[in-house]
Amino acid sequence: QVQLVESGGGLVQAGGSLRLSCAASGRVLSINDMGWYRQAPGKQRDSVASITSGGSTNYADSVKGRFTISRDNAKNTVYLQMNSLKPEDTAVYYCRGLIKIPGSFIFREYWGQGTQITVSS
């Protein structure tokens, strides 16, 4: 019914930059909060950044000042600009959205399939 498709992952050297995109498609009526999470091998999935439908943002302390989340509501897309990347940023990055579909009264959580970010030292 709803798909979140991420793009923009890859391999980058420390100090470099990458930009992730996540587009929601399918039976999307409305999108509330969107965000990015990451999971390194052997660790839990943690929040990286989030953004409300009105544009308010929140960041994990570890990425403040380096990462910027933004969204294009007309395109149902959220972005994550990542600068000054560090080896410890290496993880699988997942997109999450709270989405309402036609006929539903509530927002449900949807996740993307994940995209690998590897930062070499």
Side-chain angles (χ1 to χ4, degrees), residues 104-120:
S104 174
F105 294 101
I106 63 172
F107 289 88
R108 288 184 60 193
E109 180 180 80
Y110 292 87
W111 290 88
Q113 80 285 357
T115 185
Q116 176 70 46
I117 301 294
T118 302
V119 184
S120 62

Side-chain angles (χ1 to χ4, degrees), residues 36-115:
W36 291 94
Y37 289 68
R38 66 186 181 187
Q39 186 168 20
K43 296 187 176 182
Q44 67 181 18
R45 188 176 299 187
D46 292 324
S47 176
V48 175
S50 62
I51 185 167
T52 68
S53 57
S56 296
T57 59
N58 191 48
Y59 296 92
D61 288 342
S62 59
V63 307
K64 282 181 181 177
R66 300 188 297 123
F67 290 11
T68 302
I69 189 170
S70 61
R71 65 191 284 173
D72 185 332
N73 291 331
K75 296 181 178 180
N76 290 338
T77 300
V78 63
Y79 306 95
L80 186 68
Q81 177 66 44
M82 302 182 291
N83 299 327
S84 303
L85 283 160
K86 304 175 181 179
E88 50 264 43
D89 294 319
T90 295
V92 178
Y93 283 68
Y94 296 91
C95 171
R96 172 185 178 269
L98 292 178
I99 298 172
K100 184 187 294 184
I101 63 173
S104 174
F105 294 101
I106 63 172
F107 289 88
R108 288 184 60 193
E109 180 180 80
Y110 292 87
W111 290 88
Q113 80 285 357
T115 185

